[in-house]
Amino acid sequence: HAVIEFVITQMWQLASTQSGCRVVQQALEVGEASERWELSQQLRGHVWEACTSPHANHVLQKCIELIPADCMQFVLDELHGNVVSAARHRYGC
């Protein structure tokens, strides 16, 4: 699990690149629930940026898919007031 620990520490930088976002998505798929949660927490403060990123939006979508909704409330909190813009954005999830 050393690889997942590395991905956790570099999550936002990886999520923002074409190949890195695939690495993060794979870590989310194979990681244990606690690792998935840690990965998702790295999106805090970056939700809008992830929504508008051609790469990080895939990571955000994977988090929403795999992580219990009660752990993802921060996504709604950060999008508050921007939901329509996010829905209309080219990469918005």
Side-chain angles (χ1 to χ4, degrees), residues 5 7 9 18 23 26-27 30 32-34 42 45 47 51 55 57 59 61 63 71 75 80 86-87 91-92:
E5 288 299 319
V7 173
T9 64
Q18 184 175 5
V23 171
Q26 184 67 30
V30 301
E32 296 177 13
S34 62
Q42 303 309 307
V47 172
C51 272
H55 309 298
N57 80 84
V59 172
Q61 289 178 55
C63 285
C71 296
V75 173
H80 183 75
Y91 303 119

Side-chain angles (χ1 to χ4, degrees), residues 7-70:
V7 173
I8 290 169
T9 64
Q10 301 297 312
M11 196 279 219
W12 181 246
Q13 293 85 352
L14 290 168
S16 301
T17 67
Q18 184 175 5
S19 57
C21 77
R22 291 186 182 112
V23 171
V24 176
Q25 289 177 77
Q26 184 67 30
L28 284 162
E29 289 175 0
V30 301
E32 296 177 13
S34 62
E35 294 166 328
R36 289 178 181 165
W37 182 83
E38 283 189 62
L39 283 162
S40 73
Q41 296 309 296
Q42 303 309 307
L43 285 173
R44 284 186 182 270
H46 297 286
V47 172
W48 177 250
E49 198 174 350
C51 272
T52 59
S53 165
H55 309 298
N57 80 84
H58 298 290
V59 172
L60 180 58
Q61 289 178 55
K62 187 63 72 174
C63 285
I64 292 168
E65 175 187 333
L66 296 176
I67 296 168
D70 60 331

